[in-house]
Amino acid sequence: VCAGQGDFRGVIQLMQLHPTIPDLQGRGCVALWKMICPEREALSGDLDHENIVAIAEAGGIEVVLGALETPGQDPLGQDPLGALETPDQDPWVLAEGLFAIFFLCAGNQNNKVKMADLGGIEGILHAMKQHAKHEGVQDYGCRALGNLGCNNNDNRVKIAATGGIEGILHAMKQHAQHEGVQQRGCLALANIAS
C-alpha cells in the first residue's frame, strides 16, 4: 500500500476489499498511522488532528479493528465451539494495528468512544493475549489502552472490567527488561487510574 498524505480513502477501501490478506492489512495500518504522524516516536504536537478525524469518519476505525482479527475468523460467532480453528493473526499486523489505534485515539474523545463501542478494548486485549511474547504487540497494546483510557471514565471502567489492568501488568511482567513495555505499561496504568 502506497499512499500520499491524505489518500486515506484509497487505503481504507483496499483494506475493506481484502480483509484476509495480512500483509495488505498491516501495510494499510502503517499507511493510516503515517498519515496522522509520519514518525513513530513523534510528540503529540506533531499529529495531524484533521486526519485523525477524517480517517475515523471514512471508516478507518473499523478497518483497523478488522485488521486485528485473525484471517478467516468467524466475526459473527457462528462457530461457538471453535471447531473452525484458524492460526493467530501475524504479530506484525497486530502491532501496526495497535499503533494505528494509539494514534486514532490521540486526544480525540469521539474516536475513543467509537473505538470502545466497536469492541476495540476487547480487540486490543485479545491481540495482547494472542502474542504475549511479542514486545511490539505488548508495547503498542499498552499505548492503545492508555490512550483509550486517558480522560475517558467510561473507557477506564471498561478497560478494568475486561481485564485490561491485568493484561498490562502481565505484559510488564513478561517483558520486564523491555524499556518500552515498562514505560508504556506505567503510562497506561496511570491514564486508567487517574
Side-chain angles (χ1 to χ4, degrees):
V1 175
C2 182
Q5 200 74 0
D7 188 21
F8 52 83
R9 285 178 185 80
V11 173
I12 291 168
Q13 186 176 27
L14 279 172
M15 292 176 75
Q16 290 168 333
L17 289 172
H18 304 287
T20 60
I21 303 175
D23 188 59
L24 185 135
Q25 295 298 307
R27 290 175 188 270
C29 288
V30 171
L32 291 175
W33 70 250
K34 282 191 172 195
M35 287 181 223
I36 295 169
C37 187
E39 298 296 324
R40 198 177 290 271
E41 297 300 330
L43 301 173
S44 62
D46 297 330
L47 303 181
D48 185 331
H49 291 279
E50 288 180 17
N51 271 357
I52 290 173
V53 172
I55 289 169
E57 288 176 352
I61 290 173
E62 291 86 349
V63 296
V64 169
L65 289 175
L68 298 184
E69 294 179 7
T70 303
Q73 184 173 326
D74 180 16
L76 300 176
Q78 295 177 358
D79 181 30
L81 301 178
L84 304 174
E85 288 191 33
T86 57
D88 290 342
Q89 179 61 287
D90 182 291
W92 172 76
V93 174
L94 292 175
E96 296 304 342
L98 294 169
F99 201 71
I101 290 171
F102 166 69
F103 274 148
L104 281 166
C105 293
N108 188 295
Q109 291 300 321
N110 291 334
N111 288 0
K112 291 177 190 187
V113 169
K114 185 173 185 179
M115 189 73 70
D117 287 348
L118 292 174
I121 293 168
E122 295 86 351
I124 294 165
L125 293 171
H126 180 72
M128 292 175 74
K129 186 180 259 187
Q130 247 186 5
H131 290 286
K133 294 183 180 183
H134 192 277
E135 292 170 345
V137 170
Q138 301 308 305
D139 182 344
Y140 302 149
C142 287
R143 289 184 198 216
L145 289 170
N147 263 3
L148 277 164
C150 185
N151 299 318
N152 189 303
N153 288 328
D154 291 339
N155 283 357
R156 288 176 181 148
V157 170
K158 190 168 188 177
I159 290 167
T162 56
I165 293 170
E166 293 85 354
I168 294 166
L169 292 172
H170 180 75
M172 293 175 72
K173 184 177 180 182
Q174 186 83 12
H175 300 280
Q177 302 305 314
H178 189 275
E179 184 178 337
V181 174
Q182 296 302 307
Q183 285 180 337
R184 283 11 175 264
C186 286
L187 286 171
L189 291 171
N191 283 347
I192 294 164
S194 60

